Amino acid sequence: MFIITIITLIAFSLVCSLCIDLHEENKRLRKWQQSRVEHDQRLSEEVFDSIRESCEEIQKNLEGQFKYFEERIVHLDDEIIDDTVTLLER
């Protein structure tokens, strides 16, 4: 009977030790998961900011090109009008 009690206590202590180890591992994995979520959120914010900055730069470039072409069209219109007037005067 004494040997069975000792074996039972040893088995119980092993099970308790295993449960404690599993609990610690679970806590460690939760912390890791939380850090990954935070990292992914920061990364998402950085990517969003990068995309926003790229879009703003593209928009500025397009506005500059639009302004250039608008000025060029006005200049061409003036040339066409001048050429037309010159032809009509002949």
Side-chain angles (χ1 to χ4, degrees), residues 2-13:
F2 181 71
I3 295 177
I4 294 175
T5 305
I6 291 176
I7 292 173
T8 304
L9 287 174
I10 291 172
F12 181 74
S13 71

Side-chain angles (χ1 to χ4, degrees), residues 27-42:
K27 283 179 12 182
R28 187 187 69 76
L29 287 173
R30 276 194 224 143
K31 285 180 183 178
W32 177 82
Q33 182 182 22
Q34 182 62 32
S35 70
R36 287 297 310 158
V37 168
E38 291 170 358
H39 177 265
D40 289 349
Q41 287 173 342
R42 279 194 310 273

Side-chain angles (χ1 to χ4, degrees), residues 12-84:
F12 181 74
S13 71
L14 289 173
V15 169
C16 287
S17 176
L18 179 64
C19 288
I20 291 170
D21 288 345
L22 288 173
H23 178 72
E24 291 298 319
E25 182 66 14
N26 191 20
K27 283 179 12 182
R28 187 187 69 76
L29 287 173
R30 276 194 224 143
K31 285 180 183 178
W32 177 82
Q33 182 182 22
Q34 182 62 32
S35 70
R36 287 297 310 158
V37 168
E38 291 170 358
H39 177 265
D40 289 349
Q41 287 173 342
R42 279 194 310 273
L43 185 61
S44 294
E45 290 171 3
E46 290 171 2
V47 168
F48 176 77
D49 288 341
S50 173
I51 291 171
R52 183 182 48 78
E53 290 170 1
S54 295
C55 288
E56 288 172 353
E57 185 177 328
I58 290 169
Q59 183 177 0
K60 286 179 186 177
N61 290 339
L62 288 174
E63 287 172 354
Q65 289 177 357
F66 178 76
K67 192 173 189 178
Y68 167 77
F69 286 117
E70 188 176 44
E71 291 170 359
R72 185 72 181 128
I73 288 171
V74 168
H75 180 69
L76 287 174
D77 283 347
D78 291 343
E79 286 180 13
I80 291 171
I81 290 171
D82 290 343
D83 289 346
T84 305

